Amino acid sequence: LLFGAWSWLESRRQPGQRLRPLDLGLGAALALGGAVALYFLVNRFGPVPIRSYGVMLLVGLVAGAAWLAHNARYYNLPSGLAVDLALTALVGGILGARLLYVLLNLAQFAGNPLSAFRVWEGGLSFHGGLAGGLLAAYLLARRRGLYFPTLFDAGAPAIALGYALARIGCFLNGCCFGGHCDSFWGIRFAPGSEAAAWSLGLPPGQPATTWGEPLYPTQLLASFLALVIFFVLVLSRRLFPRPGHLFVFFVGLYGLERFVVEFWRHGASGRPFAPLPALTEAQVASILLTAAALVFLVFTRRRDRARWAPRPASGAGKPAKGKRP
């Protein structure tokens, strides 16, 4: 609703005019009014469960879109692009995340193939979501005539911020959990969660009726590291003047983050890598991802930095917002 109101208000502005704080306040008020109306309709005609993971996913989407709108000036991109890109990447990300999860767990859906479409029951892969979201963003860039490496650079911190918030949703949902923990930071997950059932040794599909045993909160660790990545990207973007390099740097940092979290994480991604059992399959994939990003940056980094440097913006102290080639 907020995105819809935002787009409607932008469509009423003259070309080149920016949205004022009053416009954004009006959009938020319209969205809040629609949400209140929806709340009463839902409770009048039948209860609809609100999942914590879905809520945090949308919070991450809004936060990422807000940062992209703020960051668009640095890359000389239209601020209104943030809404279109967020919604497009959301659809592509969900489709990609679900598709990869199903492909990695075909046995789970062999008996009932139609259950693969029940996204609301859980089962999403971040790697698939990232690939699907990037493909959707690439198609949007082609349609709008935008230089997609620059678009990916602008969106890299937004992805990290959204990912950090979505991982809090994983924590509240009780998924993507860690192994047994005997130290002070162990977390007992609530009855009914996947984490509680696993910690109690229950067979798959049987819900836990009591609180589970303490587990490592790997979701919160991943969320914290993603926030660190967000600030690193924001503070170091001037070190990557060539379009596309900041996004590749983000991919390398994500590989490092996932490699670290996997030491405590349990689940499908925690399966040992057969040729090297000391590492998990996800850790090997993370090493390859980070290595590929590092090799790409080293071999494509040009010495003629002036060619890619943004032109100074008008006004002292303002960030450069030059247009990339």
Side-chain angles (χ1 to χ4, degrees):
L1 288 172
L2 176 59
F3 284 148
W6 189 347
S7 297
W8 176 73
L9 288 169
E10 273 201 328
S11 67
R12 298 176 61 85
R13 304 292 292 173
Q14 296 296 326
Q17 286 185 321
R18 296 177 55 83
L19 284 175
R20 301 168 299 177
L22 181 61
D23 295 326
L24 297 179
L26 177 59
L30 292 173
L32 180 62
V36 171
L38 182 63
Y39 172 81
F40 284 105
L41 288 174
V42 164
N43 285 275
R44 171 64 177 81
F45 295 102
V48 175
I50 305 300
R51 307 293 184 185
S52 56
Y53 179 78
V55 170
M56 293 309 301
L57 184 65
L58 288 178
V59 170
L61 179 71
V62 172
W67 168 257
L68 182 59
H70 169 74
N71 196 37
R73 296 182 59 194
Y74 182 82
Y75 293 96
N76 201 25
L77 295 171
S79 60
L81 180 68
V83 177
D84 298 333
L85 180 61
L87 295 179
T88 302
L90 174 66
V91 175
I94 291 178
L95 292 177
R98 185 60 171 179
L99 177 61
L100 183 58
Y101 179 84
V102 171
L103 292 177
L104 293 176
N105 300 273
L106 287 176
Q108 178 181 341
F109 302 94
N112 185 12
L114 293 179
S115 63
F117 296 97
R118 299 173 183 171
V119 181
W120 55 89
E121 293 182 354
L124 299 173
S125 167
F126 174 76
H127 296 85
L130 180 62
L134 291 179
L135 177 59
Y138 169 76
L139 295 176
L140 178 66
R142 290 291 300 271
R143 181 179 179 86
R144 297 287 182 86
L146 300 172
Y147 190 51
F148 65 89
T150 300
L151 185 62
F152 287 1
D153 282 349
I159 297 174
L161 180 60
Y163 178 79
L165 293 169
R167 280 302 182 197
I168 296 177
C170 293
F171 174 75
L172 297 174
N173 189 45
C175 62
C176 305
F177 47 87
H180 290 283
C181 177
D182 297 326
S183 62
F184 68 95
W185 65 315
I187 296 292
R188 295 178 182 271
F189 287 88
S193 64
E194 180 186 354
W198 180 86
S199 68
L200 295 173
L202 300 178
Q206 181 178 344
T209 56
T210 60
W211 287 80
E213 295 298 319
L215 301 177
Y216 286 106
T218 50
Q219 314 95 324
L220 298 183
L221 176 60
S223 177
F224 170 74
L225 293 178
L227 279 178
V228 172
I229 292 175
F230 168 76
F231 286 109
V232 169
L233 293 174
V234 172
L235 296 176
S236 64
R237 59 185 178 181
R238 293 183 181 274
L239 302 178
F240 298 92
R242 186 171 183 178
H245 274 203
L246 183 67
F247 178 79
V248 175
F249 182 53
F250 159 69
V251 172
L253 290 178
Y254 169 74
L256 289 176
E257 176 266 326
R258 188 60 182 269
F259 180 83
V260 171
V261 173
E262 281 293 315
F263 282 110
W264 295 277
R265 183 169 169 171
H266 173 83
S269 65
R271 291 191 295 256
F273 184 61
L276 191 60
L279 299 177
T280 67
E281 294 175 352
Q283 283 180 316
V284 173
S286 298
I287 292 174
L288 295 176
L289 193 65
T290 301
L294 180 62
V295 169
F296 180 87
L297 289 175
V298 169
F299 282 92
T300 61
R301 188 173 181 85
R302 306 175 70 100
R303 293 185 178 181
D304 52 341
R305 294 173 59 89
R307 177 185 176 189
W308 303 104
R311 293 191 299 270
S314 59
K318 293 184 179 179
K321 55 178 180 179
K323 190 171 184 179
R324 265 56 169 183

